[in-house]
Amino acid sequence: MKNLLMTLKLFIFVIVFSQNTLYAQGIAGTQPSYNTVYRSDRIGDSYHFFLLTKDGMYYHLHTNRTDTITADEIKSPNILNILKQKQSWGQSFPKKGAYTISNGKLYTKLLWDQIKIISKNEINYLNKTFYIK
């Protein structure tokens, strides 16, 4: 009886947590442009950049070193050195992490911040609107 109860609990656990996997369900509404850099309008003296990949990663960069960046540059582990070559002064704050899909919406896995897809060319994240430029 104990083995049956443990097996049932394990089965329920697997079913519940498999419902929130990345590929189990689609995104409600519009699909984002993957591997494309989105940029915010100028905020103060800096820009914010955002990129989503199909394999469940997101990249967010806040910098006043440049107003353009490519997808390969933002994904590079040497992003700070790349930005230093573009401009010798300024600040940069790169962040990357994983995202998940829950109930047709995108969320960061670490803090569960929503990544809102407004259109294929527009994303909202952390109260900033990003556009494909």
Side-chain angles (χ1 to χ4, degrees):
M1 186 67 178
K2 267 188 170 180
N3 288 340
L4 180 63
L5 187 57
M6 286 296 278
T7 306
L8 184 60
K9 284 182 181 179
L10 181 62
F11 181 71
I12 290 171
F13 178 79
V14 168
I15 289 176
V16 168
F17 283 101
S18 70
Q19 296 300 315
N20 288 331
T21 60
L22 180 63
Y23 302 107
Q25 51 194 351
I27 302 169
T30 306
Q31 294 288 329
S33 293
Y34 293 104
N35 291 318
T36 303
V37 178
Y38 291 82
R39 188 190 81 184
S40 70
D41 289 330
R42 189 176 176 107
I43 300 171
D45 66 344
S46 60
Y47 291 97
H48 292 259
F49 298 91
F50 194 79
L51 179 129
L52 291 171
T53 64
K54 281 194 173 189
D55 63 350
M57 295 295 294
Y58 74 93
Y59 298 83
H60 179 225
L61 173 67
H62 171 207
T63 186
N64 61 355
R65 289 184 180 262
T66 185
D67 61 351
T68 59
I69 195 160
T70 66
D72 289 335
E73 289 172 336
I74 199 170
K75 291 191 285 185
S76 171
N78 299 321
I79 182 67
L80 295 176
N81 291 332
I82 292 169
L83 291 169
K84 284 179 186 176
Q85 291 174 356
K86 288 188 171 200
Q87 183 172 307
S88 62
W89 62 271
Q91 297 178 339
S92 299
F93 305 97
K95 180 182 174 189
K96 71 177 183 177
Y99 68 86
T100 187
I101 299 172
S102 178
N103 297 325
K105 296 179 182 177
L106 274 68
Y107 295 94
T108 62
K109 283 190 175 181
L110 182 62
L111 298 175
W112 209 251
D113 294 321
Q114 184 177 6
I115 302 169
K116 187 174 181 182
I117 309 300
I118 298 170
S119 73
K120 186 175 183 169
N121 297 326
E122 187 176 352
I123 289 178
N124 191 291
Y125 174 66
L126 296 179
N127 295 325
K128 291 169 190 64
T129 303
F130 297 86
Y131 306 95
I132 294 178
K133 301 280 182 172

